[in-house]
Amino acid sequence: MTIVADPPAPVDTLEVTLGIDTHADTHVAAVIDPLGRHLGHATFETTLSGFKALLAWAAGFGTIALAGVEGTGAYGAGLTRFLTAETVPVVEVDRPDRKNRRDQGKSDPIDAYAAARAAASGRASGTPKARTGDVESVRALRVARNSAVKARATALTQLKSLIVTAPDTLRAQLVDLDGAELVTTCARLRPARSPNPTPPPSTKRAPRPGPLADPTAATKRSLASIATRIKTLSTEITELDDDLDALLTPLAPTLLGLLGVGLDVAGQLLVTAGDNPDRIHNESAFAHLCGVAPIPATSGKTVNRHRLNRGGDRAANAALYRIAICRLRWDPDTRAYVERRTKEGLSKKDIIRCLKRFIAREVLAAIRTDLNPRNPA
């Protein structure tokens, strides 16, 4: 009996999976078939024309059923937006772990094929953040605000440290001042200088000021410079806060209405969830994302024990912690809960962990209420 094999499927009906290892200047793409066989890999520039060339190249192997992209929130953000706009399903792929790299080696094509396999197998299934709405605007503003806050804190530390070592007469004028009064006073300091040097007749530059007369003058010059920087940063922070207020107040009224949630906390939690909170399947997934899911810690005679989760988004974890601390002080129901759980033998850390887990559930419901009408599933 003769067995006639079915003819091979045409290329344009073959479903393939695309994997991409992202970098600052180039992306390396790899394509595999449904059986995981390598079909090809290539390198493309991180430009719009490069993205179009990458998509056209991958489509030459067949229909792109799925794309696994490393770093969808960093180097792969632009490519992810492009592929999503082209209706290509995209999943976020974590970097290969160290064990796999030791076993298989490290190169860009290896990482790209690994990303494709992770997407095809379902091991990588996270939906990337949309990054096309108001939450992305909040994230961008928070980057500038957070850097300004850190710079101001650093400058304040430097200002106070310089006063500690300042000459006695100058330190006596400033040591009892604090806060805005200290900054204003330092900004008004004017150092004594030696006579201006005489510039040569041929110079075109304006004459430079005379050299600083002594260490007191130099310290005054430094204090005035740092204080002026602090005032500039404070103005910048205030302006950014106004911009964030204008965005967040209409964007997240339900979230801002929760006890203990202000603009800073709300902004961080929205950025963690993203413009498309429907990508978070349930409250347990959000708790894991925020690092507040209980982790089993049972061994031997220690049963039914859980510990704090040290993973997840630590900034979101800190935001939930601030809500919990606020409620511990101001909310009677929370204080009654703490008293009851303390009598049951739980430690303060365990109680705060439980509170953060409950708050995460409440926060996710508020975020979905606020954002889902803007981003329907």
Side-chain angles (χ1 to χ4, degrees):
M1 181 176 65
T2 303
I3 299 177
V4 180
D6 293 333
V11 172
D12 59 357
T13 64
L14 179 67
E15 288 192 347
V16 298
T17 302
L18 176 64
I20 304 164
D21 181 33
T22 60
H23 300 277
D25 301 320
T26 59
H27 294 333
V28 177
V31 178
I32 62 174
D33 66 9
L35 298 179
R37 293 176 296 193
H38 296 186
L39 300 181
H41 65 270
T43 301
F44 301 90
E45 294 183 351
T46 57
T47 60
L48 181 58
S49 60
F51 297 158
K52 292 179 179 179
L54 186 155
L55 184 60
W57 170 82
F61 294 95
T63 302
I64 303 174
L66 189 62
V69 181
E70 284 189 18
T72 59
Y75 290 141
L79 177 62
T80 300
R81 284 193 294 265
F82 173 79
L83 292 176
T84 302
E86 295 293 330
T87 68
V88 176
V90 179
V91 295
E92 185 170 2
V93 178
D94 293 331
R95 292 185 304 171
D97 58 34
R98 293 182 179 180
K99 181 179 182 303
N100 288 339
R101 286 187 167 177
R102 283 196 301 267
D103 295 341
Q104 302 175 11
K106 167 71 176 78
S107 72
D108 294 339
I110 289 176
D111 288 348
Y113 280 119
R117 290 193 298 271
S121 66
R123 181 171 57 84
S125 58
T127 303
K129 293 180 182 178
R131 299 184 182 277
T132 55
D134 289 340
V135 175
E136 178 63 11
S137 301
V138 171
R139 186 195 69 83
L141 290 173
R142 282 179 55 80
V143 170
R145 184 188 184 277
N146 290 343
S147 66
V149 169
K150 290 179 181 178
R152 184 176 65 177
T154 300
L156 278 167
T157 301
Q158 293 170 341
L159 187 76
K160 294 180 179 179
S161 298
L162 196 56
I163 292 173
V164 171
T165 59
D168 293 339
T169 55
L170 179 59
R171 184 164 60 87
Q173 300 173 24
L174 304 173
V175 70
D176 293 330
L177 303 180
D178 200 6
E181 185 180 4
L182 173 64
V183 173
T184 302
T185 302
C186 289
R188 293 173 179 171
L189 293 174
R190 293 296 179 265
R193 292 181 176 274
S194 301
N196 295 347
T198 302
S202 59
T203 184
K204 296 182 180 180
R205 294 181 56 184
R208 293 184 177 182
L212 296 167
D214 54 24
T216 299
T219 304
K220 285 183 177 181
R221 174 69 178 87
S222 181
L223 289 172
S225 175
I226 296 174
T228 302
R229 187 186 315 156
I230 292 171
K231 295 180 71 174
T232 302
L233 288 169
S234 296
T235 301
E236 180 182 343
I237 292 168
T238 301
E239 293 173 351
L240 289 169
D241 282 339
D242 291 341
D243 291 334
L244 284 168
D245 190 5
L247 274 174
L248 287 170
T249 300
L251 177 65
T254 308
L255 181 60
L256 288 169
L258 299 179
L259 179 61
V261 178
L263 289 177
D264 187 55
V265 168
Q268 177 56 58
L269 293 172
L270 284 171
V271 169
T272 299
D275 277 299
N276 48 337
D278 49 287
R279 72 191 183 94
I280 303 171
H281 303 300
N282 50 48
E283 65 182 46
S284 297
F286 185 67
H288 275 283
L289 178 61
C290 296
V292 297
I295 302 297
T298 299
S299 177
K301 296 181 179 180
T302 304
V303 296
N304 196 26
R305 169 73 176 173
H306 294 78
R307 67 167 176 83
L308 294 171
N309 188 343
R310 298 177 180 87
D313 186 336
R314 304 315 298 171
N317 188 288
L320 295 176
Y321 178 81
R322 290 198 290 274
I323 298 174
I325 295 302
C326 179
R327 293 186 179 186
L328 281 172
R329 182 168 185 177
W330 300 108
D331 184 28
D333 293 337
T334 301
R335 300 180 75 168
Y337 171 81
V338 172
E339 184 178 354
R340 176 172 62 84
R341 298 292 277 175
T342 301
K343 291 179 180 178
E344 294 175 1
L346 267 67
S347 66
K348 185 177 180 179
K349 283 186 177 181
D350 287 335
I351 295 172
I352 292 178
R353 174 185 59 76
C354 295
L355 284 174
K356 289 196 294 185
R357 177 64 180 85
F358 170 78
I359 293 169
R361 181 185 302 121
E362 193 176 359
V363 163
L364 180 61
I367 290 175
R368 285 176 168 171
T369 300
D370 290 331
L371 296 189
N372 276 343
R374 297 170 176 265
N375 301 281

